């Protein structure tokens, strides 16, 4: 089976993104940020949807909140948020791998791409995890 990036529809969507970026360069300055961002985001979403549509589910298992599981590096998996929409995952990494972590999120949700876990102490990180897991503010 081919990778989604090898499919003709993905190649055309990449071309569309390129054309849209060229178009955005020529939008008047007062409209560029709002209109340009919307055009770019829509084209990127097409690429995301193509990738998601071509994900191959290789088995499925459910893990209830509070339980643990093992997975291999780069094995795609999902986590369903609880009632307030937040998720906290505690991982024990067993090695370093060249491609780093990969995440997807629902269209319209902006992930925190600037977060660096090394900027906080373990106590500060645990405060956030506790807050999410208990659904309330916890102070160490």
């Amino acid at each position: 089976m081919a990778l989604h990036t090898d499919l003709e529809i993905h190649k055309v969507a990449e071309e569309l993104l390129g054309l849209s970026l060229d178009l955005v360069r020529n939008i008047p300055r007062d409209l560029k940020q709002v209109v340009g961002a919307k055009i770019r985001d829509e084209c990127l979403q097409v690429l995301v949807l193509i990738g998601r549509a071509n994900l191959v589910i290789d088995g499925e298992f459910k893990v209830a909140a509070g339980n643990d599981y093992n997975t291999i590096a780069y094995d795609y998996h999902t986590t369903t948020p609880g009632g307030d929409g937040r998720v906290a995952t505690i991982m024990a990494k067993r090695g370093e791998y060249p491609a780093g972590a990969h995440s997807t999120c629902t269209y319209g949700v902006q992930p925190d791409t600037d977060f660096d876990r090394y900027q906080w102490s373990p106590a500060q990180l645990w405060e956030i995890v506790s807050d999410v897991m208990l659904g309330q503010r916890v102070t160490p």
Side-chain angles (χ1 to χ4, degrees):
M1 176 181 250
L3 293 174
H4 71 278
T5 53
D6 295 331
L7 298 174
E8 188 62 29
I9 191 170
H10 190 275
K11 293 174 184 174
V12 171
E14 282 183 323
E15 287 177 30
L16 176 63
L17 176 61
L19 290 171
S20 71
L21 294 175
D22 290 341
L23 172 74
V24 168
R25 284 187 195 97
N26 296 314
I27 292 177
R29 180 172 278 180
D30 57 333
L31 297 174
K32 187 176 284 197
Q33 187 170 2
V34 175
V35 176
K38 181 71 173 165
I39 292 170
R40 180 204 60 223
D41 290 348
E42 291 294 329
C43 291
L44 287 171
Q45 181 61 15
V46 168
L47 288 167
V48 168
L49 291 173
I50 291 167
R52 286 185 181 164
N54 288 283
L55 282 175
V56 175
I57 297 175
D58 184 17
E60 183 177 343
F61 62 95
K62 301 278 185 191
V63 180
N67 291 321
D68 59 22
Y69 64 96
N70 293 314
T71 187
I72 59 173
Y74 309 124
D75 210 11
Y76 184 81
H77 60 283
T78 63
T79 305
T80 303
D84 64 1
R86 299 181 304 164
V87 172
T89 303
I90 303 170
M91 291 186 224
K93 290 178 67 173
R94 306 234 157 105
E96 291 295 327
Y97 302 94
H102 295 81
S103 298
T104 62
C105 62
T106 304
Y107 179 73
V109 173
Q110 293 297 320
D112 183 357
T113 57
D114 296 326
F115 180 74
D116 175 4
R117 70 179 184 269
Y118 298 112
Q119 69 190 355
W120 289 355
S121 70
Q124 289 172 305
L125 290 171
W126 188 248
E127 180 181 345
I128 300 300
V129 171
S130 299
D131 175 36
V132 171
M133 292 175 69
L134 298 173
Q136 61 190 19
R137 192 91 174 122
V138 175
T139 310

